[in-house]
Each structure stands twice: as C-alpha cells, then as structure tokens.
C-alpha cells in the first residue's frame, strides 16, 4: 500500500505539543489540525507495522478523577 492517510484525534482535556507528531521509521509526514493528528505513510508492506507518535499536555480543566480512554 502507498500513501496511507492515518487520523488520530487528540484526547479530550489535552493539547497537542507543536511539532511532536511523527511516524517512526517511515519518513512519513505528520501534522495537526483541528484537534486531529494526520499522517501519511509512504509505503506499508504486508505484515508491516508503523507507529504514529505525538505528545500532548494535560489541560488545567482535567480533574484527578477523570479517565481518558
């Protein structure tokens, strides 16, 4: 497969850390827009996996008893 678009929403009560999104070991491009991280994986072969990674900070409005899934 080629040029696979991956979308991952940023968790509620958190904020994306600018510039932190990337696809490990792929040379893929990752960006953030409107509460979602987008990545394009150039090539993915059968039985191969890729990992989309990004950082968030927990917002002040999150409480200790909050559970994020």
């Amino acid at each position: 497969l080629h040029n696979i678009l991956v979308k991952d929403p940023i968790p509620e009560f958190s904020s994306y850390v600018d510039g932190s999104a990337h696809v490990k070991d792929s040379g893929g491009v990752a960006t953030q827009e409107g509460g979602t991280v987008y990545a394009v994986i150039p090539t993915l072969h059968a039985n191969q996996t890729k990992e989309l990674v990004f950082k968030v900070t927990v917002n002040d409005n999150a409480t200790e008893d909050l559970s994020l899934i």
Side-chain angles (χ1 to χ4, degrees):
L1 300 172
H2 299 283
N3 296 320
I4 301 158
L5 177 62
V6 178
K7 301 176 191 178
D8 195 0
I10 296 169
E12 190 175 7
F13 302 106
S14 67
S15 297
Y16 172 75
V17 175
D18 287 338
S20 67
H22 66 280
V23 180
K24 285 188 172 183
D25 304 324
S26 82
V29 176
T31 59
Q32 183 276 144
E33 184 178 327
T36 301
V37 174
Y38 298 91
V40 175
I41 299 172
T43 303
L44 189 65
H45 300 287
N47 299 313
Q48 187 179 27
T49 61
K50 295 291 180 179
E51 188 174 353
L52 171 60
V53 178
F54 62 93
K55 295 179 183 179
V56 297
T57 56
V58 176
N59 295 342
D60 291 337
N61 62 343
T63 60
E64 288 185 26
D65 59 340
L66 180 67
S67 178
L68 299 177
I69 299 174

